[in-house]
Amino acid sequence: MRWAQSPIRVCRAVTASSTSGWAAPEVVDEFSRCVELCRDVDDSGTAADLVRALSGLWSYWISEGDFERCQVVSRQLIAQLDRAGAGGRVATVQSIRGTEAFWTGRLVEARTALLQAAELYDDDRFRSTEWGLAHD
């Protein structure tokens, strides 16, 4: 039954972020617990929840300005997107890289990555209902 907890944890974290903001302590607690649960279960049924939880953690750490933790989580998120074969993953990866580059002052790199993400994104093919991330 541990696998059944992951969607509930994602919902609790998203609710907490909506009501208290991305930097609320309960947000990181819920997303972190969801990541642990998904990794413990290691089931393809939890792949989407793991991506959502990692995305939520990434959003949390970037909003906190903790770029070291943010980059650790983004590497895990990118690896999970690749494993899951998520629709829109290349655009998502470029968006993550561009956002991190922007906030760490690497503006040319940020511009390149974010322009590529915008070019690759196809609203008709990659709907949020197919692969919604925590902050969508």
Side-chain angles (χ1 to χ4, degrees):
M1 289 302 284
R2 291 172 62 97
W3 61 268
Q5 290 183 42
S6 63
I8 294 167
R9 293 286 179 169
V10 168
C11 287
R12 287 174 57 162
V14 171
T15 301
S17 68
S18 297
T19 58
S20 303
W22 284 111
E26 58 269 25
V27 173
V28 73
D29 293 343
E30 292 294 342
F31 280 133
S32 295
R33 183 67 182 128
C34 185
V35 168
E36 289 172 21
L37 288 167
C38 290
R39 289 193 174 140
D40 286 349
V41 173
D42 194 28
D43 178 354
S44 63
T46 62
D49 290 332
L50 181 55
V51 167
R52 288 183 186 103
L54 288 169
S55 175
L57 283 176
W58 180 81
S59 296
Y60 176 86
W61 292 121
I62 205 158
S63 69
E64 283 287 295
D66 190 334
F67 300 116
E68 287 181 32
R69 284 187 181 173
C70 180
Q71 289 172 345
V72 167
V73 172
S74 71
R75 285 192 293 274
Q76 295 170 15
L77 176 56
I78 290 166
Q80 183 61 26
L81 285 168
D82 288 342
R83 275 192 298 278
R89 69 183 173 278
V90 177
T92 301
V93 167
Q94 288 307 100
S95 177
I96 290 167
R97 289 181 175 149
T99 303
E100 288 178 0
F102 175 82
W103 287 111
T104 55
R106 302 180 331 265
L107 301 182
V108 173
E109 182 183 337
R111 182 179 190 275
T112 301
L114 291 170
L115 284 173
Q116 185 179 22
E119 289 172 13
L120 291 169
Y121 185 78
D122 181 349
D123 194 40
D124 292 330
R125 286 187 57 210
F126 309 119
R127 300 186 195 291
S128 62
T129 55
E130 293 173 15
W131 199 264
L133 299 177
H135 58 279
D136 286 345

